[in-house]
Amino acid sequence: MTTMSLALTDSVTMLRRNLLHARRYPSLTFGVIIMPIVLLSVFNFVFGGALEKSSGGNYIDYLAPGMLLMIPAYITASVAVSIATDTTKGIVNRFRVMAIAPSSFLTGHVIGALIQAMLGVVAMVGFAVLIGFRPSANAVEWIAAFVLLALLTFALIWLSVGMGLVASSPESASNMPFPLIMLPFLGSGLVATDTMPVGMRQFAEYQPFTPITETVRGLLMGTEIGNNGIISVAWCIGLALVGYLWSSSVFRKQTR
């Protein structure tokens, strides 16, 4: 077998390990999927009546596209904790003395988390439809929205891999992604940015989650997208590149 095929085989083995681990210990996966759905329910049923005027119509139609970005944000804590657990419990040292491709450890984590996150997105869409979300997207627009959410998830997972690698413990790793988890709340996911004070509005408009939210909302609800699509893809590629280079560099130094 070639080096490439060996690395691919080892990555599949690591992916199977992570999916099996997620099935046997579902608490982290449960939190990634259930917590955003709980937040969707709270904002829709508790604050929806007061916020409906700012949304210009049915609040769940405005809220649901923004809340879909909670899944990529929340998966970061799960990934960081899983990576930190493996690195601090000696699993990585055990892999290092085995005849496996070193990169397969990170690849298995990234792809496993991506699969879990996209299942969470599907679950949230299903729940949102149950409580009144009525998107107007056609099949192509649905696919484009899922591809963009997958691209964002992929980028944030690589950033959280780096956090897990540099964390001193799983407890420390669970706190490091907190700024990423807060960003969807500080954009246009819950209310329009023009209702915010000047300083807050400027931050909300220039942080990465706002153009991605507006692009997903435009694809699913037919609102104006403008140049948000291009900005969103640029943010995702940039974050993924930074996360990948950072994680790979740290992992190489730790496994020498």
Side-chain angles (χ1 to χ4, degrees), residues 28-58:
L28 285 175
T29 304
F30 187 77
V32 167
I33 296 174
I34 296 302
M35 184 55 71
I37 288 179
V38 169
L39 290 173
L40 173 67
S41 302
V42 169
F43 280 103
N44 183 59
F45 295 118
V46 178
F47 304 115
L51 297 174
E52 195 156 89
K53 287 184 178 178
S54 68
S55 67
N58 188 14

Side-chain angles (χ1 to χ4, degrees), residues 41-42 54 98 105 121 126 128 138 148 153 180 215 224 247 251 256:
S41 302
V42 169
S54 68
M98 298 170 66
F105 170 72
V121 169
N138 57 34
L148 180 57
T153 305
L180 291 176
T215 304
E224 183 67 32
S247 302
F251 188 67
R256 280 176 183 166

